[in-house]
Amino acid sequence: MGSTADPFFGLSTFLAVAEAEGFTAAAARLGVSPAAVGQTVKALEARLGAPLFIRTTRRVRLTEAGAALLARIRPAAAEIATAVDAVGAAGQEPTGLLRLTAPRMAVPLVIDPVVPALRRACPKLSVEVAVEDAAVDLLERGFDAGIRIGEYIERDMVAVRLTRDIAWALVGSPAYLAAHGRPESLEDLARHDAIRYRFPTSGAIYRWEFEREGRSVSVDPPGGVIVNDGALLVSFACAGLGLSYVADIAVDAELRAGLLERVLAPLLPKGPGLFLYFPQRAQAQPKLRALIDVAKRVLRPVR
């Protein structure tokens, strides 16, 4: 069963039980019997002099001592796993399944050029892309990495730049502007139709942000159309339904083609562009390193 003189004895079993919230599930994960898991945990508790789990017929939950131990050793375990993965990944060919989440805005800018190049470079690597504008918990949803605007990425994630910085843009079609006039001030927006954006996760409607005389100003303009999809902001603006507040890189083609025009440009703020993000311990995986290498090569002219 192992020597209790070993300071690491029982810790991997403890982690498995804590994460699986059960002895049977932990045993299946570790490839041992539930009885062996129970004996190891019992020995660890005896060595520490404190119970780590409260066992009931329905579930297993951590004691206060168990929760404190988990908080201390989980980051250390992640560091150890990262070091082992880094050694094991050296020279490996990317295989398996790479799961990515990306907002719709990133499809033409990143997904369209990068995924075909990645498949050509790594034919044994499968790729799954989920397109959704809602905020995503990578670990909870089982994604390897995601793509988001930099300001919306959690600080504990590793972030790799994919595009240039963005400038926010307020846009409308030539037909709409000819019919309703061009707003010359923020106060003029009260007389215009806004195509509003509702955050898929929180359900809140986005307030347009501007900078005037060195101060940040938010505006909640009126409008008869609300969407939760970035692509609809662009297509509805092109259709003349009103003004849309979007990232300039999302409407670059429409602006160059004359389908949309900017208004109030001096008052629009700038922000970080699109970034690839992932947990720190994941960066040693060959499939993720391959994605980063291909993205940097393919997107270099854009960046």
Side-chain angles (χ1 to χ4, degrees):
M1 189 169 68
S3 170
T4 55
D6 179 2
F8 296 104
F9 169 75
L11 294 182
S12 60
T13 301
F14 165 75
L15 276 171
V17 175
E19 292 174 352
E21 298 183 346
F23 283 67
T24 301
R29 180 182 299 182
L30 296 171
V32 299
S33 68
V37 171
Q39 290 173 3
T40 301
V41 170
K42 185 176 180 180
L44 179 60
E45 290 175 326
R47 176 160 67 93
L48 298 177
L52 301 174
F53 296 101
I54 297 174
R55 306 161 178 81
T56 67
T57 55
R58 289 191 172 186
R59 58 176 298 190
V60 172
R61 60 187 178 89
L62 290 164
T63 63
E64 185 176 349
L69 179 62
L70 180 64
R72 295 292 297 273
I73 70 171
R74 178 178 270 167
E79 289 295 323
I80 293 172
T82 298
V84 172
D85 289 344
V87 174
Q92 288 186 9
E93 181 180 2
T95 59
L97 175 64
L98 176 68
R99 299 191 71 235
L100 299 174
T101 172
R104 192 168 298 277
M105 178 177 70
V107 173
L109 298 170
V110 177
I111 299 299
D112 282 349
V114 170
V115 170
L118 180 63
R119 286 282 294 149
R120 288 192 293 268
C122 308
K124 294 183 179 180
L125 180 63
S126 300
V127 181
E128 178 182 345
V129 180
V131 179
E132 50 192 322
D133 287 336
V136 175
D137 185 316
L138 298 183
L139 297 179
E140 182 180 321
R141 296 279 301 278
F143 288 106
D144 296 294
I147 299 171
R148 287 293 180 269
I149 293 177
E151 63 186 279
Y152 300 124
I153 296 176
E154 297 176 359
R155 292 174 179 252
D156 61 346
M157 292 285 171
V158 176
V160 178
R161 177 180 289 277
L162 297 174
T163 71
R164 62 170 173 82
D165 284 348
I166 62 175
W168 294 99
L170 189 60
V171 297
S173 70
Y176 173 86
L177 295 175
H180 297 83
R182 304 177 71 89
E184 302 295 336
S185 68
L186 297 186
E187 289 69 26
D188 289 345
L189 295 178
R191 298 188 292 274
H192 280 267
D193 284 324
I195 303 171
R196 311 300 308 282
Y197 179 80
R198 187 186 297 279
F199 289 105
T201 303
S202 68
I205 293 180
Y206 179 66
R207 295 175 63 90
W208 292 356
E209 299 175 62
F210 300 90
E211 292 180 353
R212 183 167 63 180
E213 298 177 353
R215 296 171 50 201
S216 296
V217 180
S218 62
V219 176
D220 191 20
V225 178
I226 300 173
V227 302
N228 69 351
D229 180 88
L232 287 178
L233 287 175
V234 178
S235 62
F236 283 168
C238 290
L241 297 187
L243 301 176
S244 283
Y245 188 106
V246 295
D248 63 345
I249 57 176
V251 291
D252 183 61
E254 288 78 7
L255 290 171
R256 284 188 282 106
L259 299 175
L260 293 174
E261 297 178 9
R262 292 175 182 258
V263 295
L264 299 179
L267 302 181
L268 273 297
K270 293 179 172 58
L274 290 172
F275 287 74
L276 179 74
Y277 71 100
F278 46 85
Q280 185 172 11
R281 64 169 299 182
Q283 60 185 325
Q285 297 184 53
K287 59 183 178 181
L288 197 51
R289 293 306 314 171
L291 171 63
I292 294 171
D293 292 343
V294 170
K296 287 183 175 180
R297 171 171 53 84
V298 172
L299 299 177
R300 183 176 293 116
V302 177
R303 297 167 67 230

